[in-house]
Amino acid sequence: MSELSTTDAAAREAILHELSLSLIDGVGPRIYQQLREAFGDAKGALTASMTELRSVPGVGSVLAERIRAGSDLVAAEEEVSFCRSANVRILSVASPDYPAALREIPDPPAILFVRGEILSRDEAAVAIVGTRHCTTYGKKQAERFASGLASAGIAIVSGLARGVDKAAHEGALSAGGRTLAVLGSGVCEIYPPEHAELSERVIAAGALISEGPPRRTAIRGAFPQRNRIVTGLSRALLVIEADTQSGAMISARHAMEQNREVFALPGRIDDRTSHGCHRLIRDGARLLESVEDVLEELGPMPSPVRLDEQTVLRKPAELLLNEQEAQVLQAIPGSPIDIDSLVVATGLPVHRILATLSVLETRRLVRRISGQTVMRAN
């Protein structure tokens, strides 16, 4: 359902204005932000005078006229009606369900259209990207990393394209994990068309996401733009295979600008699909060898994510823990605790507590304050 299903009239009106402004040709993420900053909100921008609108950098007379025309909200009302019939959710950047990590990037989408569901646990997500013309090796590795990470509870984000993207989604689904697909088209105009069946499986295990209206067809310029959403939704980016001029390299640049960890898979030096990865490694990306490389490198979550009633995720590396290790870690608060208190809290004998703490130290999840006292690592 659309966010406009709320009974709060003020919220309904606000989202309708935000949608109307975002649908205007020429109002991209940066100009949208500038308009909101200049006029307080989308309604303020839509009701501003021509003179006021032209004072905003990047807004000329033609765009100002379009913005003025958008104030009638007709296009937004039509889009909302379609979204309701197609079961597409509309999330504005101010919506509480808008992904927190995406809101923090320099140019977040003003509006997201979503088929499926984005969960709070998807904040522990990793993006996997690469060439559409991947080798057998690239396909196999994309599936392996997606499956391994998904099995550990990490959501896999990619772009539903041919090649590496498809393999990443398939790997996550084969492991029974979650996966999110960010489209360059609308969420009701699947591209490439042969991925229609795959898109339905992604919806069942995650979501299709786009900043374009649901019926928008694929256009070339939308794909580089969508790459910033792929990385923005993720904690890290894995580049599986890429030429030096590929879209995956654009994704890597977005990830670096967004302060995301970048990993690159090495390949054959005489294969052009490895040249981009090798350049990334040369320039400081992490060399990718195992799922553990990724989980252990990821830092703390921006805010803890509750996975269930007993478990709160603070670092993605916690997803690698077995039942006993997770039990001991959950018993350690933010402040120092002694070994005897952990024995009481978990019911485990001292020797098992000590052995488990050694594992947790190795994974950089706890640190010793003294011989008998530990606390969670920052």
Side-chain angles (χ1 to χ4, degrees):
M1 293 296 290
S2 162
E3 291 298 300
L4 291 174
S5 60
T6 176
T7 57
D8 186 328
R12 286 167 56 86
E13 182 186 36
I15 294 175
L16 197 59
H17 281 97
E18 289 162 357
L19 177 58
S20 184
L21 183 61
S22 72
L23 291 173
I24 295 169
D25 186 25
V27 177
R30 293 190 184 278
I31 288 183
Y32 183 95
Q33 281 186 315
Q34 290 170 193
L35 289 167
R36 282 180 60 97
E37 290 169 2
F39 303 110
D41 56 23
K43 182 178 181 180
L46 290 169
T47 56
S49 69
M50 287 289 291
T51 300
E52 290 171 326
L53 288 169
R54 286 197 299 265
S55 70
V56 177
V59 179
S61 297
V62 173
L63 182 53
E65 288 282 6
R66 291 179 189 156
I67 294 170
R68 292 286 295 159
S71 62
D72 60 16
L73 306 183
V74 172
E77 292 278 14
E78 290 176 352
E79 207 62 64
V80 167
S81 178
F82 176 82
C83 287
R84 282 177 175 156
S85 67
N87 200 27
V88 176
R89 297 185 69 205
I90 303 171
L91 300 179
S92 81
V93 71
S95 300
D97 292 338
Y98 190 95
L102 191 59
R103 187 183 286 119
E104 295 167 1
I105 69 173
D107 49 354
I111 296 288
L112 290 178
F113 296 91
V114 180
R115 288 178 67 193
E117 191 173 9
I118 305 173
L119 304 179
S120 60
R121 69 175 298 158
D122 296 335
E123 291 181 36
V126 167
I128 298 180
V129 300
T131 178
R132 289 171 171 79
H133 308 289
C134 62
T135 65
T136 301
Y137 167 74
K139 177 178 180 292
K140 180 179 179 180
Q141 296 308 313
E143 290 175 342
R144 178 172 77 91
F145 281 100
S147 176
L149 288 165
S151 296
I154 294 288
I156 302 302
V157 184
S158 199
L160 204 75
R162 301 179 179 99
V164 168
D165 287 17
K166 179 178 186 288
H169 292 303
E170 293 279 13
L173 292 166
S174 70
R178 288 187 55 76
T179 186
L180 307 175
V182 184
L183 309 186
S185 61
V187 294
C188 293
E189 288 288 336
I190 304 305
Y191 184 85
E194 66 265 26
H195 288 180
E197 186 272 336
L198 173 60
S199 74
E200 292 298 326
R201 290 192 285 139
V202 169
I203 292 169
L208 300 183
I209 302 166
S210 177
E211 65 180 325
R215 292 168 287 184
R216 178 175 291 174
T217 57
I219 55 175
R220 182 178 296 274
F223 290 92
Q225 276 287 92
R226 69 92 187 267
N227 292 347
R228 81 189 196 288
I229 305 176
V230 170
T231 55
L233 285 167
S234 310
R235 302 273 296 150
L237 173 70
L238 312 189
V239 182
I240 299 299
E241 285 185 325
D243 195 356
T244 54
Q245 301 299 315
S246 69
M249 298 296 282
I250 296 174
S251 295
R253 185 169 67 248
H254 284 308
M256 293 172 186
E257 291 170 351
Q258 296 165 356
N259 199 30
R260 281 17 178 194
E261 195 71 46
V262 177
F263 294 79
L265 182 76
R268 290 170 53 105
I269 61 172
D270 59 352
D271 192 329
R272 62 180 297 175
T273 62
S274 297
H275 293 173
C277 291
H278 294 167
R279 176 175 293 182
L280 289 172
I281 293 169
R282 184 193 66 192
D283 292 344
R286 299 273 298 181
L287 188 149
L288 180 62
E289 290 185 316
S290 70
V291 168
E292 287 74 17
D293 289 341
V294 181
L295 291 176
E296 292 180 1
E297 186 62 27
L298 295 180
M301 304 293 292
S303 58
V305 175
R306 182 166 293 281
L307 301 181
D308 53 47
E309 291 184 2
Q310 289 79 36
T311 309
V312 175
L313 180 68
R314 293 177 174 83
K315 290 185 176 183
E318 296 171 20
L319 294 166
L320 288 171
L321 304 180
N322 62 32
E323 184 176 350
Q324 179 175 296
E325 292 161 354
Q327 180 188 6
V328 173
L329 182 63
Q330 291 296 319
I332 301 174
S335 56
I337 186 172
D338 59 67
I339 305 299
D340 291 339
S341 297
L342 283 176
V343 171
V344 172
T346 63
L348 296 172
V350 172
H351 72 278
R352 294 181 72 179
I353 292 288
L354 292 173
T356 303
L357 287 175
S358 294
V359 174
L360 297 177
E361 282 186 275
T362 300
R363 296 194 184 279
R364 294 178 287 182
L365 295 172
V366 304
R367 61 187 180 90
R368 288 190 183 266
I369 305 301
S370 67
Q372 294 295 311
T373 307
V374 297
M375 69 179 295
R376 284 181 178 264
N378 295 327

